[in-house]
Amino acid sequence: MTPKSLQSPSRLPEMDPAIWSRLPEELLEHVLSCLPLKTFLNLRSTCKRFKSLTFSPSFMSKHTTRGSHFSSFLLLSHPQFYHQYPLYDSIIGSWRHLALSLSFLLPVTGSNGSPSCSLLSSSNGLFCFSLPSSKSFLVCNFLAKSSRIVEFPSYPFAFESLAFVSMPFGYKIFVLCSKFSSNSVFVYDSRVHSWQKFDRFEPILGDNYRQEGVFFNGSLYFTTSEPFSIVCFDLESGRWERLDNELPGDLTFVRLVSDGENKLYLIGGVGRNGISRSMKLWELGGGRNWIEAESLPELMCKKFVSVCYHNYERVYCFWHQGMICVCCYTWPEILYCKVSKRTWHWLPKCPSLPEKWSCGFRWFSFVPELYATV
């Protein structure tokens, strides 16, 4: 018989079920909360108790205070990917060999073979899709594999602009309508699961406005068409307001970006007659004036305006983990600025994109959040 001291060190002692089955619940929660989040998620399918812990307030508190989180991603939506969403890992700086899929939520195509949904917006780990055939929106959390159907407030329902804002205790969906709803705004509040309609707003954004609102200090901020100005909509009161601060001169286009906390940025082209000769970044100062923060290097500016063909309606921007991302529907690369370092970069093209690609590139910030509630 081999003495225990001479047994192979690689051999682990067996766990006695009679002992571990009597482990107090609070100690089991404590042990599991020390696991990496990805490891714990893989354990959810082993028993009902582990699965229920996912939504236990005490476990959620232990796990979130340990700062356990996944990486952060830039998600690409493109017609040629057929509801598969390639992911670029912005922490390690490379494309991942995996893609998110909606197959666990709904069919990829409708009854007539057409796409059954389209991705509209993202916020703090949640995504908002439009399901026209179902006359509804779909809000989902890919990480938690949870979703909720939000029915359209009326039908037929045509909208020009949508903004999706995730908050600590829910989310809001802002929809701007001007075709069948007599210039109305609808706001859905997930805390009460209902829509609120705000009538007869001044059509200050113009017809066919497509830019998404930027959430800042409790309001959604928008830029108008020429002559450029900034307006905001208070999500609680439903009041519109036009800001009276002066914008920089000689702008050819303007876009807004918020860091989600206390900073608002403006990105714009500078030039004449609709031709941008340079691109600059401004930050809103304490005196409500715009302070120039950075200029895009000349060669990068020339490339960006050339891929846009000076059609700036195709340009959109968003914030992602300390980066301001500037995108164009017609181009497969992202131009981004690392705000803390004031440096500009190009994100490489997705390697799984077909050699002959079409337009329709939509990029989204994706920071997985297990406890973002739908």
Side-chain angles (χ1 to χ4, degrees):
M1 187 181 219
T2 306
K4 288 185 178 180
S5 60
L6 298 180
Q7 289 180 4
S8 172
S10 61
R11 206 175 153 186
L12 297 175
E14 292 185 5
M15 298 176 66
D16 188 346
I19 296 175
W20 285 93
S21 62
R22 295 198 299 269
L23 187 69
E25 291 292 324
E26 60 271 17
L27 287 182
L28 178 61
E29 282 194 11
H30 180 77
V31 171
L32 293 175
S33 70
C34 295
L35 293 173
L37 182 55
K38 186 175 182 180
T39 302
F40 173 71
L41 291 179
N42 290 333
L43 290 175
R44 287 185 302 173
S45 60
T46 59
C47 69
K48 292 182 178 180
R49 174 59 182 152
F50 285 1
K51 185 175 182 180
S52 67
L53 278 177
T54 305
F55 302 102
S56 164
S58 59
F59 180 79
M60 288 167 59
S61 176
K62 291 186 182 76
H63 213 288
T64 54
T65 54
R66 295 179 187 278
S68 180
H69 57 82
F70 282 85
S71 188
S72 62
F73 305 94
L74 290 165
L75 179 146
L76 174 60
S77 173
H78 188 266
Q80 289 173 276
F81 286 130
Y82 305 107
H83 295 293
Q84 296 288 322
Y85 302 99
L87 297 171
Y88 180 85
D89 192 320
S90 58
I91 301 298
I92 65 176
S94 67
W95 287 94
R96 286 289 191 96
H97 295 294
L98 65 125
L100 294 180
S101 173
L102 275 179
S103 58
F104 70 94
L105 291 174
L106 74 171
V108 174
T109 58
S111 57
N112 60 353
S114 60
S116 59
C117 67
S118 58
L119 178 54
L120 301 177
S121 186
S122 69
S123 180
N124 295 334
L126 297 180
F127 288 89
C128 182
F129 294 82
S130 173
L131 307 176
S133 59
S134 302
K135 306 173 186 177
S136 60
F137 297 108
L138 172 74
V139 177
C140 73
N141 183 330
F142 277 110
L143 183 57
K145 292 188 176 181
S146 58
S147 63
R148 177 181 292 275
I149 294 291
V150 178
E151 294 184 354
F152 289 163
S154 62
Y155 194 80
F157 187 65
F159 57 92
E160 286 71 55
S161 176
L162 178 143
F164 179 62
V165 181
S166 177
M167 300 175 177
F169 302 102
Y171 55 85
K172 292 193 176 184
I173 304 174
F174 165 97
V175 184
L176 179 67
C177 309
S178 63
K179 291 185 178 179
F180 301 106
S181 306
S182 303
N183 290 339
S184 298
V185 164
F186 292 88
V187 177
Y188 177 84
D189 190 337
S190 69
R191 295 172 297 179
V192 294
H193 304 299
S194 66
W195 290 92
Q196 187 173 4
K197 183 180 179 182
F198 299 93
D199 293 318
R200 298 183 297 277
F201 72 89
E202 179 188 357
I204 49 183
L205 295 180
D207 296 333
N208 299 317
Y209 187 84
R210 300 292 181 183
Q211 295 298 323
E212 186 171 339
V214 173
F215 184 66
F216 177 67
N217 282 347
S219 297
L220 288 173
Y221 285 70
F222 303 84
T223 57
T224 69
S225 54
E226 295 186 80
F228 298 120
S229 65
I230 297 176
V231 298
C232 65
F233 175 84
D234 189 299
L235 284 172
E236 291 297 330
S237 67
R239 292 197 307 266
W240 286 93
E241 180 184 354
R242 190 185 297 270
L243 276 65
D244 56 5
N245 53 347
E246 185 177 352
L247 295 181
D250 297 327
L251 292 173
T252 54
F253 74 93
V254 286
R255 296 292 183 268
L256 296 173
V257 174
S258 169
D259 66 354
E261 296 178 0
N262 55 6
K263 291 186 178 181
L264 185 66
Y265 298 92
L266 184 147
I267 302 98
V270 180
R272 294 289 179 87
N273 302 319
I275 304 297
S276 296
R277 302 300 179 187
S278 63
M279 283 177 58
K280 295 185 178 183
L281 173 68
W282 293 267
E283 182 180 333
L284 186 63
R288 314 306 289 176
N289 57 322
W290 292 102
I291 302 170
E292 185 176 330
E294 190 61 45
S295 292
L296 181 64
E298 183 179 359
L299 290 179
M300 299 181 85
C301 179
K302 287 183 177 180
K303 175 179 176 178
F304 186 79
V305 298
S306 66
V307 301
C308 295
Y309 305 107
H310 296 286
N311 184 351
Y312 303 117
E313 291 183 359
R314 301 167 176 170
V315 176
Y316 60 100
C317 305
F318 61 90
W319 177 269
H320 174 76
Q321 301 292 90
M323 298 158 47
I324 293 177
C325 300
V326 188
C327 315
C328 183
Y329 291 109
T330 60
W331 193 249
E333 297 174 308
I334 287 182
L335 173 66
Y336 66 94
C337 174
K338 290 186 176 180
V339 176
S340 62
K341 297 181 179 180
R342 296 290 196 257
T343 56
W344 294 85
H345 310 268
W346 284 101
L347 184 145
K349 186 177 69 172
C350 177
S352 59
L353 187 69
E355 184 176 346
K356 293 183 178 180
W357 41 265
S358 61
C359 299
F361 295 94
R362 292 292 312 276
W363 295 90
F364 300 88
S365 173
F366 178 35
V367 183
E369 175 56 62
L370 179 63
Y371 302 118
T373 306
V374 300

